[in-house]
Amino acid sequence: MSEDRSEHPRDLRDALVETLLRARREAPPGGLPHPTPDELVAYHSGELPEPERERLREHLALCPECADFVLDYRDFAAGEPAAAASAAAAAWERHRGPAWEAVRRGIGEAAATGPSEPVRAPARSGGSPAARWLAAALAAACLLLGLSLWRARSELGSPSPAAVVALQPEGSGVLRGPGRPGAPEVQAAGRRVVALLGLPEPHRFARYEVRIEPPAGAGPAAVLEIEPGPDGVLAVEMGIDRAPGVYRLVLYGLRAGEREELASYALRLAGRP
Amino acid sequence: MPTPRDPTPPAEDLDARVRELFERHAAEVFRFFVRKRFPYEESRELTQETFLRVYQGLREFRGESRERTWIFSIARNLMLNARRHGTASKRQGTEIPLEELGPGERGSSPAPALADRTATDPLAETLDRERRELLRQAMAVLPARMRQCVLLRIAQERKYREIAGLLGISIDTVKSQLHQAKGRLRQLLGERYDGLDRLDDGGSP
């Protein structure tokens, strides 16, 4: 190409970001074939043979999400410098007992009302749609029971940092709340609210977006981006001291810059009694 | 690699299993949150929440992943949610129309800045296409490790030590690779691109 001095230099970063985007566009349907978390951990730990390591290096150079995962795992697995290690270890010694006590209490309460038989997650593939819905409904019911107890515990002044509520898509016909038709209600005053969203279908997206529409007159809508947790749960944190009333949450799946509306949920926040 | 275990342990075994996992991993989970700059009190709460989720997930944990990876993934997810919670609080009260959200907030990487200009100017479009092709060729002739360093440094804006950690090489090697890449790209691209100095500008973006 001839040198054209009238041509403004272009920013190298913009151009290389395009390289990343192109790699995604040219990836097979479903996006870049991401390594599994175990593969990333094995890569970090030096347990993979060299050809595999090289494949993962190439992937990490193109995939900020997997690179973030590896760097976070590095923080998780790394030994601390001596001074920091002793400070963190001393802090953990102080917090260990109360932490276990809180976990034990939570487990005890969940176990007291949990199902007598284990509830399995719906299979990712195979099985009839009806069977998958039934399994999803059972899992949701179990989750709701456990979480309603957890919520009750936090209302009694336990150290739980949040009011947690499980929501199912509007019109799904699955349990909406413990004994309440319509939007489940949560006592939100003074606490952050965490809504766990049931999905209308198995996960198809790596990322989701939620639009939180407050009740009329309670301010504008807000938008949050979320990712499914390792347990498959989509958790939305709604902040502290939101106005009481019925909130509508609209869930979108995100892929390659596109947004697909998937489901909506209703949640009633109660104010101070 | 996966840890094989009974997929449906009796309910009474779950308490003991969670206790065992807590004893084995809680300290490093707590340390992880501390390293991510959460205060001790919040780190403890997040550690508690991690193991409550471990309990909730144990019935369904079939050993598809390693136990430590699984617990780390739960802790990391909580860490990301906790950070987002800060972001969410700041966003409250501010209308953010979906159409106006930045690409970073929408789950994709930043869009190219020149897209609008080139869309309406055929000459600019042609020049830009040629320039892109030149960059593609230049990146293709770089050795793999050098190309990876460039992408991590420029496109992902990683620090030297992060690049070293990601690629499993020393920081000195990263610096050397980037310095060499700067010379080669300068040679191949001329003055068509700004930002080559960022390749070896001192390490911390």
Side-chain angles (χ1 to χ4, degrees):
Chain A
M1 186 177 108
S2 64
E3 186 91 10
D4 181 353
R5 292 294 172 189
S6 66
E7 184 185 344
H8 294 293
R10 182 161 180 206
D11 188 79
L12 182 63
R13 179 174 183 273
D14 286 346
L16 288 177
V17 165
E18 267 185 38
T19 304
L20 265 60
L21 289 173
R22 199 177 309 121
R24 287 169 189 238
R25 279 198 300 271
E26 291 167 2
L32 279 180
H34 292 283
T36 66
D38 273 337
E39 282 180 308
L40 292 169
V41 166
Y43 168 80
H44 173 270
S45 309
E47 296 168 14
L48 297 180
E50 188 49 36
E52 275 297 287
R53 282 183 66 74
E54 193 53 35
R55 183 179 69 82
L56 265 74
R57 283 192 198 103
E58 283 292 328
H59 182 84
L60 293 174
L62 293 170
C63 180
E65 290 89 348
C66 288
D68 282 343
F69 184 97
V70 170
L71 289 173
D72 283 339
Y73 185 78
R74 191 161 155 254
D75 281 343
F76 180 77
E80 297 274 0
S86 66
W92 176 240
E93 280 311 306
R94 287 198 306 278
H95 287 282
R96 183 170 170 277
W100 171 248
E101 187 53 32
V103 173
R104 194 190 60 74
R105 231 178 16 246
I107 289 173
E109 288 164 356
T113 56
S116 55
E117 291 298 322
V119 177
R120 292 172 189 275
R124 282 188 180 279
S125 60
S128 68
R132 286 206 298 273
W133 270 109
L134 182 60
L138 283 169
C142 171
L143 194 60
L144 280 169
L145 280 170
L147 290 173
S148 60
L149 267 190
W150 189 13
R151 188 181 64 186
R153 177 171 63 86
S154 66
E155 283 166 2
L156 291 172
S158 79
S160 176
V164 184
V165 60
L167 303 178
Q168 291 302 321
E170 290 179 308
S172 69
V174 189
L175 271 181
R176 284 172 176 275
R180 266 189 206 97
E185 184 175 280
V186 60
Q187 294 290 335
R191 295 182 303 168
R192 64 194 172 98
V193 174
V194 178
L196 305 181
L197 306 183
L199 277 172
E201 57 186 17
H203 282 299
R204 281 193 293 126
F205 299 88
R207 287 176 165 190
Y208 295 83
E209 191 173 81
V210 175
R211 181 181 175 89
I212 303 174
E213 298 172 354
V223 176
L224 299 175
E225 192 178 297
I226 55 176
E227 290 173 8
D231 43 11
V233 173
L234 285 173
V236 180
E237 301 220 7
M238 294 181 59
I240 299 173
D241 283 339
R242 280 185 168 269
V246 176
Y247 285 71
R248 187 161 177 270
L249 280 63
V250 185
L251 179 69
Y252 301 88
L254 301 178
R255 180 183 294 140
E258 297 297 318
R259 200 175 71 239
E260 180 182 333
E261 183 172 337
L262 300 174
S264 61
Y265 309 80
L267 169 66
R268 179 184 297 279
L269 297 190
R272 294 183 188 281
Chain B
M1 299 249 294
T3 311
R5 52 184 298 276
D6 181 358
T8 56
E12 60 269 22
D13 286 354
L14 288 178
D15 291 14
R17 180 82 178 126
V18 175
R19 178 76 201 229
E20 181 191 326
L21 294 174
F22 183 89
E23 292 297 336
R24 197 179 299 155
H25 298 291
E28 63 183 349
V29 169
F30 177 79
R31 200 169 56 231
F32 171 66
F33 291 123
V34 172
R35 265 183 167 252
K36 292 296 183 186
R37 303 186 183 280
F38 287 94
Y40 286 148
E41 193 66 30
E42 198 171 352
S43 295
R44 188 195 79 188
E45 288 179 348
L46 288 166
T47 304
Q48 289 167 198
E49 206 167 334
T50 299
F51 283 90
L52 280 170
R53 287 191 180 222
V54 164
Y55 172 75
Q56 289 169 344
L58 257 183
R59 290 176 191 275
E60 296 169 23
F61 180 62
R62 315 266 177 84
E64 294 94 341
S65 69
R66 295 180 188 186
E67 166 189 296
R68 192 177 184 217
T69 308
W70 178 56
I71 291 173
F72 162 68
S73 298
I74 292 173
R76 178 173 186 262
N77 192 52
L78 285 171
M79 181 271 291
L80 295 173
N81 280 345
R83 283 187 174 170
R84 266 186 219 116
H85 170 60
T87 309
S89 302
K90 284 175 200 158
R91 281 183 172 187
Q92 279 173 40
T94 306
E95 176 71 58
I96 309 173
L98 295 174
E99 296 71 21
E100 292 178 16
L101 282 177
E105 297 173 286
R106 293 275 302 275
S108 58
S109 301
L114 292 191
D116 289 345
R117 182 152 64 83
T118 56
T120 54
D121 182 345
L123 177 62
E125 194 178 345
T126 304
L127 289 173
D128 200 53
R129 197 182 312 121
E130 286 179 4
R131 189 160 40 185
R132 278 202 309 267
E133 177 57 21
L134 195 66
L135 177 63
R136 192 192 66 74
Q137 289 172 7
M139 290 294 284
V141 300
L142 294 183
R145 193 72 66 255
M146 199 178 284
R147 185 177 63 249
Q148 291 154 4
C149 285
V150 170
L151 284 169
L152 287 165
R153 177 71 182 151
I154 299 290
Q156 296 195 32
E157 298 186 316
R158 304 284 178 187
K159 297 172 183 169
Y160 288 164
R161 65 177 170 77
E162 291 176 330
I163 299 171
L166 284 167
L167 298 181
I169 55 181
S170 72
I171 291 178
D172 282 344
T173 304
V174 172
K175 288 179 181 174
S176 160
Q177 292 283 309
L178 288 172
H179 183 71
Q180 290 178 50
K182 181 180 169 182
R184 292 177 76 160
L185 288 175
R186 179 88 71 206
Q187 203 174 24
L188 293 164
L189 300 173
E191 301 298 322
R192 293 181 182 84
Y193 283 96
D194 280 338
L196 282 172
D197 288 340
R198 269 178 262 156
L199 284 168
D200 60 353
D201 63 0
S204 297

